[in-house]
Amino acid sequence: MSKLLHLAAMTIGAIIFIAPASAQQAADFQAPTQPECVPGELLVKHRGGGSANAAGVNALQQIGGQTVQRFDFIGVELIRIPTDRSLTEAVSTLNTAGAVEYAECNYRQFAVKSPNDPQYPQQWGFPKINAPTAWDRQTDARNVVVAVIDTGVSLNHPDLISNLWRNPGEIPGNNIDDDGNGVVDDVFGANFVPATATGNPDDDNRHGTHVSGTIGAMTNNGTGVAGTNWTASIMAAKFLDASGSGTTANAIRAINYAIRMKADIMNNSWGGGGFSQALLDAIRAANQAGILFVAAAGNIGSDDDANPFYPCSYDSPNVICVMATDQNDNRASFSSFGKKSVHLAAPGVGILSTLPGGNYGQLSGTSMATPHVSGAAALLKAAHPTWTASDLKQQLLATVDKLPSLQGLSVTEGRLNLGRALPPLTACLPEPSQAAYEEVYFTANKQFSGNDNVLGVTFSLPRKMYVTIVANGSVQLAKAGGNNTFFTGLYSAPSPNVMYTGSLRRGTVSTQGSFVPLTTSFTQVLGPGNYSYYWKLWISGFTLQLDSANLTVHAVPCSMGGAILAIGASAADGPIPEPSTTTLSQELQVK
Amino acid sequence: MLNFSAFRAYVRGSSRLLLPRLPIVAAALFLATMASTAQTASELIIQVRPGVSEQDVKQLTQRAGAEYVHALGGPAYLVRAPDPQRAAAILESLRAQPDIISVEPNQTVRIPE
């Protein structure tokens, strides 16, 4: 039942993100929000990739089709049919005749969205993270609340004011705690610097305002700068004072406030101090509430694995730890890093954003990289309202641009690519279609000492769809031996039995009690039918204990060309083991 | 500010005195270690078990010789050692309370520099 509800929710979500975000946005842009076909044109790939066989010729005759161009490299032909003939029917005729591998309409393509904010050209970070591609699909994140846990937010900045969160339970200026949350008149957020929290989180530093602009400066308004989200809901949770300093206790108050007020994402461009169990527990409470906790890796250029930088280094599933890169995709010289504890990088040098007093300016730091990721998560959440914090984290980590300069410096060794995390939707057929979504979870403490499946998932597709399979979990060393190197990857079975080399990753686990993340994914266009995919571990000479694992299938009806196929790909740097067709040894629990 | 030199002097005392007071010595060492990271004057963060009320927290804080400051949300509360020289003893006394699951100094954090 819950599975059906989940599917229904995703279907609704798919309908929501296909629809225009608002009338204003629809009026602002030339590109239509629904895919548009060129009348009388089809793209057809014949079976075997060559010319049409007898059945193909027959089918083409039925629809009155004529080949006008052949794209040799991909074996696709541009077919012209009479313009008064239904494209949908023609596509259906070709596909059902079995004469072609696929047939689809020839979509009109549009330039990616570029906002009209005059200082946008100086914001190098957005093109770098491929934000314009994502903006083709989604710009509005008004329904996603991002808590900026920082020095406050400039409440009257003309480029932020409309994108500030409004507390629906509070009446401004009546000096009453209307919603009973312990803070009087907390309309835009709260200030936890005083012993008694106030409803005035105005920024008396500049840091929080700058962070907020990157997340959600009002965009395409002809003023100032752009934000990752063109419309947003930024909740100001101030706990750092005018000097940028605060306490663990007040950070906990700010986090608990954001939990209570139902934030979706928390941006944490701060850190320091030692380990705090109370702070970790607050972050874990946020995790329980489904809130993503995005944090800065620190600016001391050191290894966070060796010298933890809290809160970035806390072990909680909802934490994303962010390092900084420059315009050349190199690690920013000041940026801390960590192969195990830092997850990904984002632009953090010379970042232009909002400053108090209606001003704008450039700042550098992992503080500036972090809101790129928080903003990306918010946009992703807006497009996929049913996605959990775990889904958001997986998608952001699985779609990075892997960079040679980041090798060995983070879990993904990559920089945020928002456009890949949130590709534009172009339906395969110009008709409403449903999205499929499936998750399989495994939480028992299973031990592996040989080649074995971690998880498997079976699903069916009603039509040709764009399928992303994401595997995520962690293992620890249970019994040492051999070289402690393992491989993990995704493959389909029993037919076709294909190992997706792009998903194959090598891991090493050498320390007892130290968890090693398992994350891999791939994306592929699949036609209608039933599919089984397996996530497998190859181990020899030692034993791994699985801590947790989940395998997620996201299927959306879209046709993107070939670029997206690079999702999650990572070249194997060792011998590729042969896949086996062992059957599932676990009883699966389908969520 | 916590008087860490006093704690260190205490720790340097004779082993005859040291052994029966190991818990307090451990607390002093803990606080001395935490001195390497900035923290606020005499403040401690405590977390209590589910079901323990704010009133209960006030009472057990008082029993330990600490002052209640305010709630932090969830199971966390801020308390203060009125006499910084007794902070280690108070920390240990709070730790000994069965309703308290963690006690730690309130540290300073900041925007990365």
Side-chain angles (χ1 to χ4, degrees), chain A residues 19 39 81 84 90 95 121 151 218 222 261 283 298 301 313 347 400 402 415 420 440 480 491 521 524 549 558 572 575:
Chain A
I81 64 172
D84 58 352
N95 282 328
T151 59
M218 293 156 56
M261 302 314 290
I283 294 168
S313 298
V400 296
K402 287 177 82 78
R415 188 246 310 122
R420 191 177 292 152
V440 183
Y491 73 99
S521 69
Q524 191 180 41
C558 61

Side-chain angles (χ1 to χ4, degrees), chain A residues 150 195 205 207 239-240 243-249 252-253 256 269-278 281 299 309 367, chain B residues 30 34 37-38 40 43 45-47 69-78 101-102 104-113:
Chain A
D150 212 289
N205 182 277
H207 191 262
F239 85 102
L240 298 170
S243 72
S245 180
T247 67
T248 304
I252 292 169
R253 293 166 76 198
N256 283 331
S269 293
W270 53 274
F275 176 86
S276 164
Q277 185 63 51
D281 288 346
N299 296 345
F309 183 76
S367 288
Chain B
F30 173 65
M34 295 307 289
T37 59
T40 57
E43 291 181 346
I45 299 170
I46 64 171
Q47 291 196 100
V69 180
H70 56 64
L72 302 178
Y77 296 85
L78 187 65
I101 54 178
S102 73
E104 62 187 66
N106 185 19
Q107 302 177 65
T108 298
V109 296
R110 57 176 300 109
I111 55 179
E113 291 175 335

Side-chain angles (χ1 to χ4, degrees), chain A residues 303-323:
Chain A
D303 185 349
D304 283 358
D305 292 349
N307 303 297
F309 183 76
Y310 300 111
C312 220
S313 298
Y314 283 124
D315 180 18
S316 183
N318 58 333
V319 172
I320 298 183
C321 188
V322 185
M323 62 185 289

Side-chain angles (χ1 to χ4, degrees), chain A residues 263-288:
Chain A
D264 297 291
I265 292 152
M266 296 181 187
N267 187 92
N268 298 273
S269 293
W270 53 274
F275 176 86
S276 164
Q277 185 63 51
L279 180 54
L280 173 57
D281 288 346
I283 294 168
R284 286 178 172 165
N287 182 55
Q288 289 295 312

Side-chain angles (χ1 to χ4, degrees), chain A residues 122-484:
Chain A
Q122 298 165 53
Q123 294 182 279
W124 66 269
F126 291 134
K128 180 63 78 175
I129 64 169
N130 204 7
T133 299
W135 289 336
D136 268 352
R137 167 150 160 201
Q138 184 81 31
T139 56
D140 172 35
R142 180 79 72 202
N143 292 329
V144 179
V145 179
V146 183
V148 174
I149 298 173
D150 212 289
T151 59
V153 179
S154 180
L155 301 178
N156 57 6
H157 197 294
D159 226 3
L160 288 173
I161 194 163
S162 294
N163 281 354
L164 299 178
W165 170 78
R166 259 81 168 173
N167 181 354
E170 200 68 26
I171 298 166
N174 68 354
N175 209 28
I176 295 171
D177 179 13
D178 300 290
D179 59 1
N181 68 355
V183 189
V184 173
D185 288 344
D186 54 322
V187 177
F188 302 108
N191 180 358
F192 297 97
V193 175
T196 301
T198 75
N200 180 15
D202 201 27
D203 188 5
D204 49 9
N205 182 277
R206 61 178 182 172
H207 191 262
T209 299
H210 196 277
V211 162
S212 297
T214 300
I215 294 168
M218 293 156 56
T219 304
N220 209 44
N221 60 347
T223 301
V225 296
T228 313
N229 301 279
W230 294 19
T231 56
S233 289
I234 296 169
M235 175 193 289
K238 176 176 172 63
F239 85 102
L240 298 170
D241 62 18
S243 72
S245 180
T247 67
T248 304
N250 288 343
I252 292 169
R253 293 166 76 198
I255 291 167
N256 283 331
Y257 174 83
I259 295 172
R260 179 168 186 162
M261 302 314 290
K262 301 193 182 306
D264 297 291
I265 292 152
M266 296 181 187
N267 187 92
N268 298 273
S269 293
W270 53 274
F275 176 86
S276 164
Q277 185 63 51
L279 180 54
L280 173 57
D281 288 346
I283 294 168
R284 286 178 172 165
N287 182 55
Q288 289 295 312
I291 302 171
L292 194 65
F293 190 95
V294 187
N299 296 345
I300 51 177
S302 68
D303 185 349
D304 283 358
D305 292 349
N307 303 297
F309 183 76
Y310 300 111
C312 220
S313 298
Y314 283 124
D315 180 18
S316 183
N318 58 333
V319 172
I320 298 183
C321 188
V322 185
M323 62 185 289
T325 44
D326 63 16
Q327 290 196 53
N328 299 316
D329 269 337
N330 292 317
R331 175 177 72 89
S333 57
F334 54 78
S335 180
S336 295
F337 53 90
K339 188 174 183 177
K340 293 177 182 171
S341 58
V342 175
H343 295 97
L344 80 170
V349 177
I351 301 302
L352 180 66
S353 185
T354 47
L355 292 175
N359 294 318
Y360 302 89
Q362 290 186 0
L363 293 177
S364 297
T366 53
S367 288
M368 283 66 244
T370 304
H372 282 92
V373 176
S374 298
L379 203 61
L380 207 52
K381 176 77 175 175
H384 301 281
T386 60
W387 280 20
T388 64
S390 173
D391 292 333
L392 297 174
K393 181 175 177 178
Q394 282 179 37
Q395 182 74 352
L396 291 172
L397 300 194
T399 54
V400 296
D401 281 328
K402 287 177 82 78
L403 300 173
S405 62
L406 300 180
Q407 194 168 8
L409 298 182
S410 75
V411 172
T412 61
E413 302 178 327
R415 188 246 310 122
L416 172 69
N417 187 330
L418 176 54
R420 191 177 292 152
L422 189 57
L425 274 184
T426 313
C428 299
L429 287 171
E431 61 188 34
S433 47
Q434 69 182 76
Y437 180 87
E438 185 110 10
E439 287 178 290
V440 183
Y441 282 86
F442 174 80
T443 52
N445 291 325
K446 187 188 175 185
Q447 293 206 343
F448 295 83
S449 55
N451 300 343
D452 203 355
N453 290 316
V454 180
L455 279 178
V457 61
T458 298
F459 58 92
S460 59
L461 299 178
R463 60 175 63 82
K464 183 174 162 187
M465 297 180 100
Y466 220 78
V467 176
T468 299
I469 299 179
V470 180
N472 191 46
S474 66
V475 290
Q476 63 173 317
L477 184 63
K479 184 181 173 188
N483 60 7
N484 290 342

Side-chain angles (χ1 to χ4, degrees), chain A residues 93-108:
Chain A
T93 299
L94 289 169
N95 282 328
T96 54
V100 299
E101 194 169 320
Y102 61 79
E104 60 191 16
C105 83
N106 183 22
Y107 290 106
R108 290 192 190 282

